[in-house]
Structure formats: C-alpha cells, structure tokens
Amino acid sequence: MNHRMTVLHGIALGALIAGLPCTAIAQSQSPVAGDLQPRLENGRQIYVVAQFERFNPRTALDIVNQIPGFIIDTGDDDQRGLGQADENVLINGARISGKNNDAFTTLRRISVENILRLEIVDGATLSISGLSGQVLNVVTNDDGERGVTGNFRWRPQIRRAGENWFAGDISISGPLGKGEFTLALENDAFRNGAQGRERVIGRNFIRDEVARTRGDRPVLNASFTQTSDAGSIFNINAEYGLNNFRQQVTTARTEPGRSDISEIFVGTEDEWNAELSADYEFDLGGGRLKLIGLQRLEHSPFEDMFEQRFTDGVTPLRGNQFNRTIDEGESVARAEYSWKTDGGTDWGINVEGAYNFLESEGALLVRDAQGVFQPITLTNANSKVTEYRGEIIGTYGRALSDNLTLQATLGGEYSQISQNGPLGQTRSFIRPKGSISLAWKPQDDLDFSFKLERKVDQLNFFDFVASVDVSNDVRNAGNPALVPPQSWNAEIEGTFNLGAFGSTTVKGYYNKISDIVDAIPITDTTEALGNLDSAKQYGITVASTFLLDPLGWTGAKIDVEAEAQRSSVLDPLTGVKRRISDDLIYNYEVSFRHDIPNSNLAYGGGLERYDGFTQIRLDQTADFDELQPYAWIFIEHKDVFGLTVNANLGNLFNRTDRFVRTDYVGRRDGPINFIEDRSRKFGLIYRLTVSGSF
C-alpha cells in the first residue's frame, strides 16, 4: 500500500477513535421508528431540523440529503436564459437567485441554525410558472436576531493519480443592516488518473497508457438579500471563478518489426468566469412584480497538443496542435407579474429578453515531413455566434377540487441567430411554448402529478464553429445552419409515503423531439453536428428511501436512485433506426447508512453504475463502458472535537473503464479501418471529509 495512503487512512481512523470517548456516552441520539416521517399539513409534507438530529447536520444540504425519497434536481442544462422554473428546490418560496448558483451550492451555505422548517409540495400547486412534481421549499429564520454563522468542509483525497489537498468550501452569513449577507469560497479541485493497455486491431500495435487530469476551480461568491417592512424583496448575487485544467496522456507504443514510439497528449485550459445578477420583487396594483437582471461572461483559452517521438533516431517528430480562445457572454432581463382573482385563481405574465454570444479564435498546426509545425487552414474556426431572443409566457393556475390543482402556461418566443465569417448567415425563428400540469392527491400518503410541455432547447454555440480532436485526428467542421431543437415532453410522477418504512417516487417520461442535434455530413469527407427531423426518448426513474427501524434495525436506511431510458432516431447514413448518440441506457446508485443509536458513529457504503449508448459519428463510433460498478464504504464520527469526520474508501472492485473506438474506411457503412480497444484501471481512492460550523 502506498505510504501516503496509509498515513491519510491512519489519520482518519485515529480522528474517529479519538473523538469517541468524549461523546459516545455523553450524547445520545436515540432514534425511534418514525423519526423521519413528515407531518402532513394542507397537502404539504413538513419536516423540522430536530427530526434529523441523528445525522448531526450542519447545513441545509445535510438535511435535504436525508429526506426520504427526495432527490435534488438541478433542472435542464439546456435552459434558455432564466426561463420557467425547473429546479425542484426553493428558498423561502422563491427560485434560487442567479444562474451559476444551483441547489447544492445554495443549500450548503445555509446553516441548520437558520432553518425553520422544510416543506415538500407538488410544484403545480405553487404560483411559480413551470414547476411540477415534488418540490422542496426551505423556510429560513428571518427574524433578524441571529448572529453570524458559518460552515466549512475540507475534502482531501489520495489515489493512484496523486494527492488532492485543496478541495473544500467555506461560507459565512449573517445580518448586514436590514438584510443578510453570505460570503462563500470553494474549490472543486480534482486529481484523477488511470492506466492500462490499448490494443489497436487492424494496425497491429499496442499502447501502454497512463492518463492524468487535474483541475482547480476556485469560486468566490457574495450575495445579499433584504426584505422591507412593506414586503419588498431585494437580492443581489456576484460570483467570480477560475478553472485551471490540465490533462496528460503518455503512451509507450510497441509494434512488431518497428521501433517503439513514445506518444504524448497534453490539454490545458485557463478560464475565468464572472456573473452578476439582481432581482427586486414588490407589490404593484393588485399583484406582485419581480424584475430580474443577469450578466455572465467567460474567457477560456484552450491548448491541445499531440506528439509522437520515434526511437529509431531518424524519423522526425510527428504531431499536431490546436489552440483556441473562446469568449462567451449572456445578458438577460426578465419581468414576472402575478396576481390572484376571486376563487383563488393565480394569473401571471412573464417577459424575458436575452442576448447570448460565443466568439472563437482557433488555429491548427501540423508538423511537416521535417517535424516543423506548419499552420493549416481551418475554415469556420474564427467566428462569432450571437443570438437575440425574446419570449412572453402567460400563466394560469387554480384548484379544480380539494385534491386536484391545475397549472397552465402559454406563449412563444422569437429568436435571431447570426454567425459571421466565411460561412456566416442570419436566421430568425418564432416558436410556441407552453405547458399544462396537474397535481392530484387522492389520499394523504399518495401524490400524483402530470405535465405536458412544449419546449425549445438552447443550442450549444460550440457546435457552430470548427474544432479538432488532435489525439484522434478528428475534425468537426462546425455548422452555421443549426436550428434550436423543439420537443413535446410528457411525464407522470407518483410519490408514495410508506410511513415508518420511508418513501418512494416513481416517474415515467416520454419526449418527442424535432430537429434533434446529431452528426450529419457537411461534404463528402467532413461532418458536423446538425439537425435530424425527429427522435423519441422515454424512460423511468425511481428514488426511494427504505427505513429499517420498523424491522428492528434502529437508525439504518437504504437509499435507491435509478433510471432506465430508451430512444430512437433515424440514422442519416444508414437509414436504420438506432438510439440517440451518446444517450443514457441506465444508471443506478444504491447506498446504505446506519447511525448507531446512543453514539456519534455511523457507517455504510454503496455502489453505483452508469451505462450509455455509443457515441456516433459518420466515420467512426466510440463506446465507453464501466465493466464493474463503483463501490465504497465509509465510517463517520459526528463529534471529533466539534467536527464531523468521514473516512471513505472507494473503488473497492477496482473498476475497469473500457473504451472502444471503431474507425471506418470512408463512412461508417464501409469496411472497418481499425479498432482501438482500451482498458484502464484507477485503483483505490482514499477520501477524508472534515466539516464543521462556527
């Protein structure tokens, strides 16, 4: 065993044992059956902090992670602008302010001392456009009498790829004038790596590879909120972050009858990004008006280099290099006005304007016969893509009966997408948008929701401009003619409260997609991402918590999260139906936790696995598989000199990541050129998490 791994493991276990005598007897958790059952009130499930005492939570996230059957959903990655609400977490009945702030980071900054209660309710019963299914509302203490509080986590990790000592976060919040401030600093640092052998079938050589990636992503966030005596609410949020990424793959290539070749791939990125957002909500006429503004900027220089060195002493260097600088920005202005009429009917109108841009400057260099870099013309690499967009959505909601609620939205958007450069063009689109949601509660322990939505997705502007994968010598031409995909999405969700045994939520969904983005031919020899006429996608998700207290195992529980998905699209090359490229097939995570009664000790473990469909190009396919699930065990002490210490040992089955790339002569309907079959392992992972409050 690596000496440094032994040291870290010893530190973790020592800290756990050291903390036991001072707290195991003095502090009794004494959980009983039903501790985690919610109180039902006006169709809502109500939890209080005291119910989660056995977990010794320090932040709102610590509590939310233990709510039976509830899984945080951070929403759609393709969300256009601010749009309709789609994240299933609210703070004091309002959407999380800003766009970079997701539910995980926001909840991690809220101390348990500041929580009054947590409510779970069906989103369709709320006066917030777009929400459906189970939604969590965290209600905080706003009496202005609490002092400054803070939380911190330190998350060191040791693995074969090296040590990571700089991952963690710290936040502090408290009163400021008549409002409240929060300051947070976090670094989502990582040090990853794997090694193994790759066999290249058809070219008869072998690569022994070592891959290493590392990154530091420090982010500084500041926010302020204030509620006036008249009920007006003001929020402002500012964030600045860096993303320093490094990747290196070194290869020893051997081939019968030829000299060995040393290969190296190096990729770097040094990004900065910034966001400023503010919103102000106040009474106006007979309703409430909320004004929102957001500005986001990002600067990202990339550099990828692939090089071959020959040991024969004669052959010159071979390789290529692709350098690119990307500047991105987003400006959003939004107004939301809502009011009620007789009978409790909710009305609203939302107006949003947005401007997005991406500017790319790219250069490709290829070594010539003498090993000297020469510039290569790369059409459509230097270009700017812009989009102006406006939308208007009306909302309507009302209770149809004591246990049935309707919410409907209807509107549309206008967008204009332009691209400069030799292939540039300007196009305009008018698209309808809307949804209808129903929330039905036939009995106290059973909730159903249904939603049908017409949606317009956000295009990835990177797909408009040319790029190069230098390690595999693959070029994407970029496609200025891309059209935003549209879809009809239907989902039905049921939540079953199992009483003392826990809770389970099951959701089924079906998406009918128009203009889906997939690989299409640009010329006889080049390709890019483009639009296909239609596709469908459907699946089922399950989120369950099974409490074992009623079976006599006090303080123990099992959490299950799983999804299975199918899809279908007509392949533009073969004319045969297949799955959507790189689509999910299934994933699951099963975890167990036991908080030992009358002590501060907990232990557990779990396993997870993901399987996705092959990534499809016109001239090749690439398939990534996890041959074993990732498994882990942990032990936790909740009071080591006032801190919570969790020691985690991961990758117990020494998982093999397998990657198979099949390259064809010409197009994918032709003969196979060669197959790269790669297997890599990354060994045990030692993690320590130390968290505390102040």
Side-chain angles (χ1 to χ4, degrees):
M1 180 181 293
N2 184 294
H3 172 68
R4 286 168 293 186
M5 294 181 178
T6 305
V7 170
L8 180 56
H9 205 201
I11 292 173
L13 292 177
L16 291 168
I17 295 171
L20 180 59
C22 64
T23 56
I25 298 175
Q27 182 174 342
S28 173
Q29 305 289 343
S30 301
V32 296
D35 262 359
L36 300 183
Q37 292 187 68
R39 184 178 81 253
L40 302 178
E41 182 179 302
N42 297 325
R44 301 183 177 219
Q45 303 176 47
I46 309 295
Y47 293 92
V48 295
V49 173
Q51 292 177 265
F52 301 88
E53 182 183 18
R54 76 190 197 201
F55 305 110
N56 193 29
R58 299 179 182 275
T59 69
L61 183 62
D62 295 335
I63 292 179
V64 174
N65 283 338
Q66 305 302 335
I67 293 178
F70 181 80
I71 301 296
I72 295 175
D73 183 357
T74 56
D76 190 350
D77 293 337
D78 295 328
Q79 173 84 309
R80 293 168 69 77
L82 294 172
Q84 310 301 298
D86 64 349
E87 193 169 32
N88 68 344
V89 174
L90 305 174
I91 308 298
N92 294 319
R95 296 170 59 181
I96 292 173
S97 180
K99 195 167 183 179
N100 280 342
N101 280 338
D102 63 15
F104 289 99
T105 56
T106 300
L107 293 172
R108 193 180 293 125
R109 297 167 185 166
I110 301 175
S111 299
V112 293
E113 293 85 354
N114 300 337
I115 300 174
L116 289 180
R117 64 185 182 276
L118 303 97
E119 309 169 340
I120 294 182
V121 62
D122 195 297
T125 65
L126 302 173
S127 302
I128 299 178
S129 176
L131 286 180
S132 65
Q134 296 292 288
V135 174
L136 171 72
N137 180 35
V138 180
V139 182
T140 61
N141 182 358
D142 59 356
D143 58 13
E145 298 181 0
R146 65 174 184 270
V148 175
T149 61
N151 304 286
F152 68 88
R153 288 187 312 156
W154 179 48
R155 300 181 287 115
Q157 173 185 286
I158 288 180
R159 57 186 294 176
R160 183 182 296 171
E163 302 97 342
N164 178 13
W165 301 102
F166 304 107
D169 53 81
I170 183 170
S171 64
I172 183 171
S173 61
L176 179 63
K178 295 184 177 181
E180 179 177 315
F181 77 93
T182 298
L183 287 175
L185 177 65
E186 57 188 75
N187 183 20
D188 188 15
F190 60 90
R191 305 288 187 270
N192 298 333
Q195 61 190 57
R197 172 163 290 186
E198 178 181 84
R199 300 181 182 275
V200 182
I201 303 166
R203 292 190 173 176
N204 196 30
F205 61 80
I206 294 173
R207 292 185 176 114
D208 289 302
E209 300 179 325
V210 178
R212 296 287 184 266
T213 58
R214 59 180 293 156
D216 287 284
R217 295 179 284 197
V219 175
L220 177 64
N221 180 277
S223 62
F224 176 78
T225 183
Q226 178 176 310
T227 302
S228 71
D229 295 339
S232 300
I233 302 172
F234 173 71
N235 293 291
I236 187 168
N237 183 78
E239 183 171 294
Y240 181 80
L242 301 175
N243 182 7
N244 302 116
F245 174 81
R246 301 290 184 270
Q247 180 181 17
Q248 179 173 300
V249 181
T250 56
T251 300
R253 171 175 161 175
T254 58
E255 184 175 352
R258 296 189 62 181
S259 300
D260 292 346
I261 301 174
S262 175
E263 299 178 337
I264 184 170
F265 168 78
V266 177
T268 65
E269 178 184 2
D270 293 292
E271 171 193 310
W272 64 260
N273 56 78
E275 179 182 298
L276 177 65
S277 65
D279 58 76
Y280 182 54
E281 182 179 349
F282 55 96
D283 289 332
L284 181 67
R288 296 276 288 181
L289 177 63
K290 186 172 185 178
L291 302 175
I292 309 170
L294 178 142
Q295 178 64 61
R296 183 181 63 85
L297 296 171
E298 184 175 310
H299 176 74
S300 306
F302 301 83
E303 183 176 301
D304 292 342
M305 185 273 293
F306 177 73
E307 186 175 87
Q308 291 181 320
R309 293 181 178 269
F310 297 80
T311 60
D312 59 10
V314 177
T315 307
L317 284 174
R318 294 179 184 172
N320 48 23
Q321 182 171 313
F322 180 58
N323 303 328
R324 180 161 67 170
T325 299
I326 296 290
D327 288 292
E328 296 179 81
E330 180 177 25
S331 305
V332 182
R334 182 177 177 86
E336 302 176 347
Y337 185 67
S338 59
W339 69 97
K340 289 181 179 291
T341 56
D342 293 342
T345 301
D346 294 311
W347 298 87
I349 185 166
N350 306 319
V351 180
E352 179 172 303
Y355 167 68
N356 298 332
F357 76 88
L358 180 145
E359 187 168 7
S360 171
E361 294 183 2
L364 176 64
L365 304 172
V366 177
R367 292 190 185 273
D368 60 18
Q370 287 72 45
V372 179
F373 273 127
Q374 300 294 339
I376 300 297
T377 301
L378 194 60
T379 303
N380 200 33
N382 300 318
S383 184
K384 183 175 183 179
V385 184
T386 61
E387 180 184 31
Y388 292 91
R389 182 179 55 81
E391 74 168 29
I392 181 168
I393 303 287
T395 66
Y396 169 84
R398 61 166 297 178
L400 302 179
S401 67
D402 291 340
N403 62 359
L404 182 64
T405 302
L406 166 72
Q407 184 190 91
T409 70
L410 182 62
E413 72 166 42
Y414 167 83
S415 64
Q416 181 187 86
I417 300 177
S418 301
Q419 182 173 1
N420 64 15
L423 303 179
Q425 54 182 291
T426 298
R427 294 158 300 135
S428 299
F429 307 94
I430 297 177
R431 299 286 174 78
K433 303 170 73 171
S435 65
I436 183 168
S437 302
L438 290 170
W440 179 41
K441 192 175 183 65
Q443 55 193 53
D444 287 344
D445 57 359
L446 185 61
D447 291 91
F448 286 103
S449 67
F450 169 79
K451 183 176 184 179
L452 177 65
E453 179 182 22
R454 179 62 171 177
K455 183 181 176 186
V456 181
D457 285 335
Q458 176 66 46
L459 287 168
N460 185 345
F461 288 172
F462 279 85
D463 298 336
F464 282 72
V465 296
S467 63
V468 180
D469 176 358
V470 297
S471 61
N472 295 312
D473 195 23
V474 172
R475 303 187 187 186
N476 292 305
N479 184 4
L482 280 167
V483 172
Q486 303 175 88
S487 59
W488 284 103
N489 302 334
E491 63 181 48
I492 184 169
E493 178 180 289
T495 297
F496 310 89
N497 189 323
L498 306 177
F501 287 94
S503 178
T504 187
T505 298
V506 180
K507 181 173 73 175
Y509 59 88
Y510 179 89
N511 304 325
K512 180 67 174 176
I513 310 168
S514 304
D515 296 322
I516 187 171
V517 175
D518 209 321
I520 66 167
I522 298 297
T523 68
D524 291 340
T525 57
T526 62
E527 64 178 273
L529 292 176
N531 297 105
L532 302 182
D533 288 341
S534 64
K536 61 181 179 181
Q537 188 180 59
Y538 54 94
I540 186 171
T541 67
V542 178
S544 302
T545 297
F546 302 105
L547 305 175
L548 305 183
D549 302 67
L551 302 180
W553 199 349
T554 305
K557 69 186 184 80
I558 297 173
D559 291 298
V560 178
E561 183 179 358
E563 180 174 5
Q565 183 172 280
R566 295 292 301 270
S567 63
S568 176
V569 67
L570 193 65
D571 191 292
L573 184 65
T574 65
V576 176
K577 286 187 177 181
R578 58 163 170 84
R579 282 182 179 263
I580 296 172
S581 176
D582 205 25
D583 204 30
L584 169 71
I585 297 177
Y586 71 84
N587 63 45
Y588 65 81
E589 179 179 334
V590 181
S591 61
F592 166 78
R593 179 183 174 102
H594 182 208
D595 292 86
I596 301 174
N598 305 315
S599 81
N600 282 303
L601 285 175
Y603 66 91
L607 69 162
E608 63 183 21
R609 192 169 186 177
Y610 171 92
D611 188 22
F613 185 61
T614 305
Q615 187 180 67
I616 304 293
R617 291 177 54 92
L618 297 185
D619 59 356
Q620 62 181 261
T621 62
D623 191 28
F624 178 84
D625 289 309
E626 300 170 352
L627 299 188
Q628 300 89 21
Y630 180 87
W632 70 92
I633 56 174
F634 75 87
I635 183 171
E636 178 178 291
H637 197 292
K638 289 167 274 190
D639 191 354
V640 179
F641 309 112
L643 304 176
T644 297
V645 179
N646 182 297
N648 182 299
L649 181 62
N651 197 28
L652 302 179
F653 299 153
N654 195 20
R655 192 180 80 188
T656 299
D657 291 339
R658 187 184 183 198
F659 177 80
V660 178
R661 184 169 76 102
T662 304
D663 186 88
Y664 294 83
V665 177
R667 297 301 195 189
R668 188 168 20 91
D669 54 356
I672 292 176
N673 187 18
F674 62 86
I675 299 174
E676 296 177 345
D677 191 342
R678 179 177 75 211
S679 295
R680 292 177 181 171
K681 293 181 178 292
F682 52 91
L684 291 173
I685 299 176
Y686 298 79
R687 290 191 175 100
L688 185 68
T689 301
V690 181
S691 56
S693 304
F694 56 89

